[in-house]
Amino acid sequence: MREPRYDVIAIGNAIVDVMAPCTDELIEELGMQRGGMTLIDDDQARSLYDAMGPAREISGGSAANTLAGLAALGAQCAFVGQVADDQLGAVFAHDIRAAGIDFDVAAGAQEPATGRCLIFVTPDGQRTMNTFLGASQLLPAAALNEDAVSAAQVLYLEGYLWDPEEPRAAMRHAIETARAANRKVALSLSDAFVISRYGPDFRRLIEDGLIDILFANEVELAALTGVEDFDAAIADLAPLLPVLVVTRGENGAVAISQGERAAVPAESVDKVVDTTGAGDLFAAGFLYGYTRGEPLERSLRRGAIAAAEIISHFGARPEADLTQLMAEKLG
Protein backbone atom coordinates (compact mmCIF):
# COMPACT_ATOMS: atom_id res chain seq x y z
CA MET A 1 0.00 0.00 0.00
CA ARG A 2 1.42 3.38 -1.01
CA GLU A 3 2.23 6.03 1.56
CA PRO A 4 -0.75 8.36 2.11
CA ARG A 5 -0.66 11.80 0.54
CA TYR A 6 -3.24 13.08 3.03
CA ASP A 7 -3.79 12.38 6.69
CA VAL A 8 -7.53 12.99 6.31
CA ILE A 9 -9.90 13.67 3.42
CA ALA A 10 -13.39 14.75 4.45
CA ILE A 11 -16.76 14.93 2.75
CA GLY A 12 -19.17 17.43 4.25
CA ASN A 13 -21.41 20.44 3.94
CA ALA A 14 -19.75 23.52 2.47
CA ILE A 15 -21.41 26.15 4.62
CA VAL A 16 -20.75 29.68 5.81
CA ASP A 17 -21.76 30.34 9.42
CA VAL A 18 -23.59 33.60 10.08
CA MET A 19 -23.35 34.17 13.84
CA ALA A 20 -24.90 36.71 16.16
CA PRO A 21 -25.40 37.01 19.93
CA CYS A 22 -29.01 37.02 21.10
CA THR A 23 -31.22 36.80 24.18
CA ASP A 24 -33.05 33.72 25.41
CA GLU A 25 -36.25 35.69 24.83
CA LEU A 26 -35.48 36.00 21.10
CA ILE A 27 -35.00 32.22 20.83
CA GLU A 28 -38.46 31.75 22.36
CA GLU A 29 -40.03 34.51 20.28
CA LEU A 30 -38.77 32.96 17.03
CA GLY A 31 -39.94 29.49 18.09
CA MET A 32 -36.49 27.93 17.72
CA GLN A 33 -35.27 24.76 19.45
CA ARG A 34 -32.73 26.11 21.90
CA GLY A 35 -29.35 24.42 21.46
CA GLY A 36 -30.52 22.36 18.50
CA MET A 37 -30.01 22.32 14.74
CA THR A 38 -32.95 22.80 12.39
CA LEU A 39 -32.95 22.52 8.61
CA ILE A 40 -34.63 25.52 6.96
CA ASP A 41 -35.50 26.62 3.44
CA ASP A 42 -34.43 29.76 1.59
CA ASP A 43 -37.44 31.82 2.74
CA GLN A 44 -36.89 30.87 6.39
CA ALA A 45 -33.20 31.71 6.05
CA ARG A 46 -34.06 35.19 4.85
CA SER A 47 -36.60 35.72 7.63
CA LEU A 48 -34.26 34.58 10.41
CA TYR A 49 -31.41 36.63 8.99
CA ASP A 50 -33.63 39.72 9.18
CA ALA A 51 -34.30 38.94 12.86
CA MET A 52 -30.59 38.69 13.72
CA GLY A 53 -28.58 41.43 15.30
CA PRO A 54 -25.13 42.40 13.97
CA ALA A 55 -23.58 39.21 12.64
CA ARG A 56 -20.22 37.73 11.67
CA GLU A 57 -19.69 35.54 8.62
CA ILE A 58 -17.24 32.71 9.23
CA SER A 59 -16.68 29.70 6.99
CA GLY A 60 -18.03 26.60 8.68
CA GLY A 61 -19.51 23.21 8.00
CA SER A 62 -18.85 20.39 10.46
CA ALA A 63 -16.28 18.34 8.51
CA ALA A 64 -14.62 21.47 7.13
CA ASN A 65 -14.20 22.74 10.71
CA THR A 66 -12.54 19.45 11.65
CA LEU A 67 -10.11 19.77 8.75
CA ALA A 68 -9.33 23.37 9.74
CA GLY A 69 -8.30 22.11 13.17
CA LEU A 70 -6.24 19.29 11.68
CA ALA A 71 -4.51 21.65 9.25
CA ALA A 72 -3.72 24.05 12.10
CA LEU A 73 -1.95 21.15 13.82
CA GLY A 74 0.09 20.44 10.70
CA ALA A 75 -1.90 17.63 9.10
CA GLN A 76 -2.28 17.30 5.33
CA CYS A 77 -5.96 17.45 4.40
CA ALA A 78 -8.41 17.64 1.50
CA PHE A 79 -12.10 18.57 1.44
CA VAL A 80 -14.96 17.47 -0.80
CA GLY A 81 -18.05 19.68 -0.76
CA GLN A 82 -20.27 21.77 -3.02
CA VAL A 83 -20.61 25.56 -3.15
CA ALA A 84 -22.48 27.78 -5.60
CA ASP A 85 -20.98 30.40 -7.89
CA ASP A 86 -21.82 33.26 -5.53
CA GLN A 87 -20.26 35.50 -2.89
CA LEU A 88 -20.52 33.06 0.02
CA GLY A 89 -19.17 30.28 -2.21
CA ALA A 90 -16.11 32.40 -2.95
CA VAL A 91 -15.70 33.14 0.77
CA PHE A 92 -15.83 29.44 1.66
CA ALA A 93 -13.38 28.40 -1.07
CA HIS A 94 -10.93 31.13 -0.13
CA ASP A 95 -11.03 30.33 3.58
CA ILE A 96 -10.54 26.58 3.26
CA ARG A 97 -7.68 26.94 0.80
CA ALA A 98 -6.08 29.66 2.94
CA ALA A 99 -6.02 27.13 5.77
CA GLY A 100 -3.83 24.89 3.61
CA ILE A 101 -6.57 22.39 2.75
CA ASP A 102 -6.87 21.06 -0.81
CA PHE A 103 -10.29 21.86 -2.30
CA ASP A 104 -10.83 21.32 -6.01
CA VAL A 105 -14.60 20.75 -6.41
CA ALA A 106 -15.89 23.18 -9.05
CA ALA A 107 -18.55 25.67 -7.97
CA GLY A 108 -22.06 24.89 -9.14
CA ALA A 109 -24.66 27.27 -10.58
CA GLN A 110 -25.80 30.38 -8.71
CA GLU A 111 -29.00 28.65 -7.61
CA PRO A 112 -29.45 27.15 -5.15
CA ALA A 113 -27.15 29.46 -3.23
CA THR A 114 -24.18 28.39 -1.12
CA GLY A 115 -25.28 26.83 2.16
CA ARG A 116 -25.38 28.93 5.29
CA CYS A 117 -26.00 28.29 8.97
CA LEU A 118 -27.67 31.06 10.95
CA ILE A 119 -26.40 30.68 14.51
CA PHE A 120 -28.01 32.46 17.45
CA VAL A 121 -25.70 32.47 20.50
CA THR A 122 -27.22 33.07 23.94
CA PRO A 123 -25.26 34.62 26.85
CA ASP A 124 -24.30 31.20 28.23
CA GLY A 125 -22.53 30.32 24.95
CA GLN A 126 -25.23 27.90 23.78
CA ARG A 127 -25.79 27.99 20.03
CA THR A 128 -29.05 27.47 18.21
CA MET A 129 -28.40 26.60 14.58
CA ASN A 130 -30.67 27.02 11.58
CA THR A 131 -29.17 25.51 8.46
CA PHE A 132 -30.00 26.19 4.82
CA LEU A 133 -28.11 23.48 2.98
CA GLY A 134 -28.41 25.12 -0.45
CA ALA A 135 -25.81 23.97 -2.95
CA SER A 136 -24.11 21.60 -0.50
CA GLN A 137 -26.94 19.06 -0.80
CA LEU A 138 -26.29 18.75 -4.54
CA LEU A 139 -22.78 17.31 -4.25
CA PRO A 140 -22.65 14.67 -7.02
CA ALA A 141 -20.72 11.42 -6.88
CA ALA A 142 -18.91 12.66 -10.00
CA ALA A 143 -17.25 15.35 -7.88
CA LEU A 144 -15.37 12.68 -5.95
CA ASN A 145 -11.66 12.43 -6.71
CA GLU A 146 -11.03 8.70 -6.28
CA ASP A 147 -7.27 9.13 -6.37
CA ALA A 148 -7.45 11.62 -3.49
CA VAL A 149 -9.67 9.31 -1.41
CA SER A 150 -7.31 6.40 -2.06
CA ALA A 151 -4.36 8.57 -1.04
CA ALA A 152 -5.79 9.54 2.37
CA GLN A 153 -5.05 7.67 5.57
CA VAL A 154 -8.57 8.40 6.83
CA LEU A 155 -11.82 9.20 5.01
CA TYR A 156 -13.98 11.33 7.34
CA LEU A 157 -17.72 11.53 6.69
CA GLU A 158 -20.09 14.16 8.07
CA GLY A 159 -23.38 12.62 9.19
CA TYR A 160 -25.31 15.79 8.37
CA LEU A 161 -24.65 15.21 4.67
CA TRP A 162 -26.20 11.73 4.72
CA ASP A 163 -29.64 13.35 4.43
CA PRO A 164 -29.67 14.53 0.77
CA GLU A 165 -29.68 11.78 -1.87
CA GLU A 166 -26.80 12.93 -4.09
CA PRO A 167 -24.20 13.43 -1.33
CA ARG A 168 -25.27 10.15 0.26
CA ALA A 169 -24.46 8.38 -3.00
CA ALA A 170 -21.12 10.21 -3.14
CA MET A 171 -20.26 9.08 0.39
CA ARG A 172 -21.21 5.47 -0.31
CA HIS A 173 -18.91 5.55 -3.34
CA ALA A 174 -16.15 7.12 -1.23
CA ILE A 175 -16.47 4.33 1.35
CA GLU A 176 -16.06 1.73 -1.39
CA THR A 177 -13.04 3.59 -2.77
CA ALA A 178 -11.39 3.91 0.65
CA ARG A 179 -12.03 0.26 1.46
CA ALA A 180 -10.54 -0.87 -1.86
CA ALA A 181 -7.39 1.11 -0.98
CA ASN A 182 -7.23 -0.34 2.57
CA ARG A 183 -7.83 3.06 4.15
CA LYS A 184 -9.75 3.83 7.35
CA VAL A 185 -13.27 5.28 7.36
CA ALA A 186 -14.50 7.61 10.13
CA LEU A 187 -18.07 8.81 10.61
CA SER A 188 -19.40 11.66 12.73
CA LEU A 189 -23.06 11.10 13.67
CA SER A 190 -23.54 14.91 13.74
CA ASP A 191 -26.98 15.18 15.37
CA ALA A 192 -29.79 13.12 16.85
CA PHE A 193 -32.21 14.30 14.16
CA VAL A 194 -30.00 12.66 11.51
CA ILE A 195 -30.07 9.42 13.48
CA SER A 196 -33.87 9.61 13.78
CA ARG A 197 -34.02 9.46 9.99
CA TYR A 198 -31.01 7.33 9.10
CA GLY A 199 -30.14 5.35 12.23
CA PRO A 200 -30.75 2.03 10.45
CA ASP A 201 -28.38 3.09 7.65
CA PHE A 202 -25.66 3.93 10.18
CA ARG A 203 -26.19 0.70 12.12
CA ARG A 204 -25.91 -1.26 8.87
CA LEU A 205 -22.65 0.47 7.95
CA ILE A 206 -21.27 -0.31 11.41
CA GLU A 207 -22.50 -3.91 11.48
CA ASP A 208 -21.08 -4.50 7.98
CA GLY A 209 -17.66 -3.44 9.24
CA LEU A 210 -17.46 -0.35 7.01
CA ILE A 211 -16.78 2.18 9.81
CA ASP A 212 -13.44 2.15 11.63
CA ILE A 213 -13.93 5.21 13.83
CA LEU A 214 -17.28 6.51 15.06
CA PHE A 215 -17.67 9.93 16.70
CA ALA A 216 -20.78 10.59 18.79
CA ASN A 217 -21.93 12.61 21.77
CA GLU A 218 -24.06 11.20 24.60
CA VAL A 219 -27.37 12.18 23.00
CA GLU A 220 -26.38 10.66 19.65
CA LEU A 221 -25.13 7.49 21.33
CA ALA A 222 -28.49 7.02 23.05
CA ALA A 223 -30.37 7.76 19.83
CA LEU A 224 -28.36 5.24 17.80
CA THR A 225 -28.48 2.43 20.35
CA GLY A 226 -31.93 3.08 21.83
CA VAL A 227 -30.27 2.76 25.26
CA GLU A 228 -30.41 5.70 27.69
CA ASP A 229 -27.85 4.41 30.22
CA PHE A 230 -24.42 5.61 29.07
CA ASP A 231 -22.38 2.56 30.04
CA ALA A 232 -24.98 0.17 28.67
CA ALA A 233 -25.05 2.08 25.37
CA ILE A 234 -21.26 1.90 25.18
CA ALA A 235 -21.41 -1.84 25.85
CA ASP A 236 -23.95 -2.23 23.04
CA LEU A 237 -22.00 -0.35 20.39
CA ALA A 238 -18.28 -0.58 21.18
CA PRO A 239 -17.85 -4.29 20.26
CA LEU A 240 -19.04 -3.48 16.72
CA LEU A 241 -16.35 -0.87 16.05
CA PRO A 242 -12.54 -0.75 15.97
CA VAL A 243 -12.71 2.72 17.62
CA LEU A 244 -15.65 4.44 19.33
CA VAL A 245 -15.24 8.03 20.57
CA VAL A 246 -17.99 9.63 22.68
CA THR A 247 -17.88 13.23 23.91
CA ARG A 248 -19.71 14.20 27.11
CA GLY A 249 -19.50 18.00 27.20
CA GLU A 250 -18.31 19.23 30.58
CA ASN A 251 -17.83 15.59 31.63
CA GLY A 252 -15.04 14.99 29.14
CA ALA A 253 -14.81 12.14 26.66
CA VAL A 254 -14.41 8.38 26.38
CA ALA A 255 -12.83 6.18 23.71
CA ILE A 256 -12.93 2.40 23.37
CA SER A 257 -10.72 0.42 21.00
CA GLN A 258 -10.30 -3.35 20.90
CA GLY A 259 -11.40 -3.65 24.53
CA GLU A 260 -9.17 -0.81 25.75
CA ARG A 261 -11.04 2.08 27.38
CA ALA A 262 -9.66 5.57 27.99
CA ALA A 263 -11.34 8.63 29.45
CA VAL A 264 -10.31 12.26 29.91
CA PRO A 265 -11.93 15.23 31.67
CA ALA A 266 -12.93 18.36 29.80
CA GLU A 267 -10.25 21.05 29.65
CA SER A 268 -11.08 24.07 31.79
CA VAL A 269 -11.84 27.40 30.11
CA ASP A 270 -12.16 30.84 31.68
CA LYS A 271 -15.49 31.47 29.95
CA VAL A 272 -17.62 29.53 27.49
CA VAL A 273 -18.33 32.02 24.71
CA ASP A 274 -19.76 29.82 21.95
CA THR A 275 -20.04 26.03 21.77
CA THR A 276 -20.27 25.99 17.96
CA GLY A 277 -17.77 23.50 16.56
CA ALA A 278 -16.74 21.93 19.88
CA GLY A 279 -17.38 18.40 18.60
CA ASP A 280 -15.78 19.21 15.25
CA LEU A 281 -12.55 20.35 16.88
CA PHE A 282 -12.58 17.46 19.30
CA ALA A 283 -12.58 15.16 16.28
CA ALA A 284 -9.69 17.17 14.82
CA GLY A 285 -7.54 16.72 17.88
CA PHE A 286 -8.35 13.03 18.18
CA LEU A 287 -7.73 12.30 14.51
CA TYR A 288 -4.40 14.11 14.64
CA GLY A 289 -3.27 11.78 17.38
CA TYR A 290 -4.84 8.72 15.73
CA THR A 291 -3.12 9.29 12.38
CA ARG A 292 0.18 9.47 14.21
CA GLY A 293 -0.36 6.25 16.13
CA GLU A 294 -0.69 7.90 19.52
CA PRO A 295 -2.36 6.12 22.48
CA LEU A 296 -6.10 6.57 22.99
CA GLU A 297 -5.77 8.76 26.06
CA ARG A 298 -3.31 11.16 24.42
CA SER A 299 -5.51 11.42 21.34
CA LEU A 300 -8.49 12.19 23.59
CA ARG A 301 -6.46 14.87 25.39
CA ARG A 302 -5.70 16.47 22.04
CA GLY A 303 -9.41 16.49 21.29
CA ALA A 304 -10.28 18.07 24.63
CA ILE A 305 -7.63 20.78 24.22
CA ALA A 306 -8.84 21.67 20.72
CA ALA A 307 -12.48 21.74 21.84
CA ALA A 308 -11.65 24.02 24.78
CA GLU A 309 -9.94 26.49 22.45
CA ILE A 310 -12.93 26.66 20.13
CA ILE A 311 -15.54 27.32 22.83
CA SER A 312 -13.51 30.24 24.20
CA HIS A 313 -14.41 32.49 21.22
CA PHE A 314 -17.02 32.99 18.52
CA GLY A 315 -16.73 30.78 15.46
CA ALA A 316 -15.82 27.18 14.76
CA ARG A 317 -12.35 27.72 13.34
CA PRO A 318 -9.26 27.91 15.63
CA GLU A 319 -7.92 31.32 16.55
CA ALA A 320 -5.10 30.32 18.91
CA ASP A 321 -1.99 28.41 17.85
CA LEU A 322 -3.16 24.82 18.39
CA THR A 323 0.32 23.38 17.98
CA GLN A 324 1.61 25.63 20.77
CA LEU A 325 -1.38 24.80 22.97
CA MET A 326 -0.76 21.09 22.54
CA ALA A 327 2.91 21.50 23.37
CA GLU A 328 2.11 23.49 26.51
CA LYS A 329 -0.51 21.07 27.82
CA LEU A 330 0.87 17.73 26.65
CA GLY A 331 4.58 18.42 26.94
Side-chain angles (χ1 to χ4, degrees), residues 40 59 66 75-76 87 91 221 223 234 247 255 279-280 298:
I40 58 175
S59 291
T66 295
Q76 298 298 309
Q87 182 179 357
V91 168
L221 176 68
I234 288 284
T247 56
D280 303 335
R298 187 174 176 87

Side-chain angles (χ1 to χ4, degrees), residues 39 46 51 56 64 81 96 135 138 154 168 177 183 199 239 249 252 256 264:
L39 291 177
R46 295 175 193 276
R56 295 175 59 191
I96 201 162
L138 300 180
V154 175
R168 185 164 65 250
T177 303
R183 303 304 190 184
I256 300 92
V264 299

Side-chain angles (χ1 to χ4, degrees), residues 137-139 141 161-172 198:
Q137 63 187 325
L138 300 180
L139 175 73
L161 203 57
W162 198 260
D163 194 48
E165 183 177 349
E166 283 192 273
R168 185 164 65 250
M171 288 196 283
R172 286 191 183 279
Y198 297 103

Side-chain angles (χ1 to χ4, degrees), residues 57-129:
E57 294 177 352
I58 309 168
S59 291
S62 178
N65 293 337
T66 295
L67 292 188
L70 278 159
L73 288 167
Q76 298 298 309
C77 302
F79 178 72
V80 181
Q82 185 69 62
V83 298
D85 184 14
D86 57 17
Q87 182 179 357
L88 288 184
V91 168
F92 181 91
H94 168 271
D95 287 354
I96 201 162
R97 290 170 181 149
I101 299 163
D102 284 356
F103 174 55
D104 60 6
V105 178
Q110 292 185 335
E111 294 292 339
T114 295
R116 73 209 67 162
C117 184
L118 306 179
I119 304 174
F120 293 74
V121 185
T122 45
D124 62 353
Q126 185 63 266
R127 81 281 187 272
T128 299
M129 302 186 293

Side-chain angles (χ1 to χ4, degrees), residues 116-326:
R116 73 209 67 162
C117 184
L118 306 179
I119 304 174
F120 293 74
V121 185
T122 45
D124 62 353
Q126 185 63 266
R127 81 281 187 272
T128 299
M129 302 186 293
N130 303 272
T131 304
F132 170 60
L133 292 171
S136 66
Q137 63 187 325
L138 300 180
L139 175 73
L144 197 68
N145 183 330
E146 294 183 4
D147 287 341
V149 173
S150 299
Q153 189 175 345
V154 175
L155 166 67
Y156 181 75
L157 305 174
E158 178 184 321
Y160 282 131
L161 203 57
W162 198 260
D163 194 48
E165 183 177 349
E166 283 192 273
R168 185 164 65 250
M171 288 196 283
R172 286 191 183 279
H173 182 51
I175 291 171
E176 294 172 359
T177 303
R179 283 285 165 210
N182 293 314
R183 303 304 190 184
K184 302 298 184 184
V185 178
L187 171 67
S188 168
L189 290 178
S190 294
D191 196 282
F193 96 87
V194 182
I195 300 167
S196 70
R197 298 178 63 155
Y198 297 103
D201 277 9
F202 294 152
R203 288 288 303 211
R204 196 170 302 112
L205 289 173
I206 292 166
E207 290 166 1
D208 288 347
L210 299 178
I211 304 300
D212 298 290
I213 311 165
L214 184 72
F215 290 94
N217 62 29
E218 285 184 289
V219 174
E220 294 156 4
L221 176 68
L224 185 64
T225 61
V227 179
E228 290 297 327
D229 179 78
F230 179 75
D231 288 326
I234 288 284
D236 175 74
L237 197 58
L240 304 176
L241 290 153
V243 182
L244 172 63
V245 181
V246 184
T247 56
R248 311 187 70 187
E250 63 184 15
N251 295 316
V254 173
I256 300 92
S257 177
Q258 310 298 331
E260 176 191 355
R261 179 175 176 139
V264 299
E267 291 287 317
S268 62
V269 294
D270 292 335
K271 181 183 179 182
V272 176
V273 175
D274 170 25
T275 56
T276 307
D280 303 335
L281 269 292
F282 191 98
F286 184 89
L287 285 171
Y288 183 82
Y290 175 86
T291 55
R292 279 146 184 79
E294 294 184 350
L296 276 185
E297 184 175 352
R298 187 174 176 87
S299 295
L300 286 173
R301 284 287 316 280
R302 288 190 183 277
I305 292 165
E309 191 280 335
I310 220 67
I311 65 176
S312 67
H313 58 77
F314 278 107
R317 301 286 174 92
E319 292 185 355
D321 185 330
L322 288 185
T323 300
Q324 182 178 336
L325 272 179
M326 299 290 174

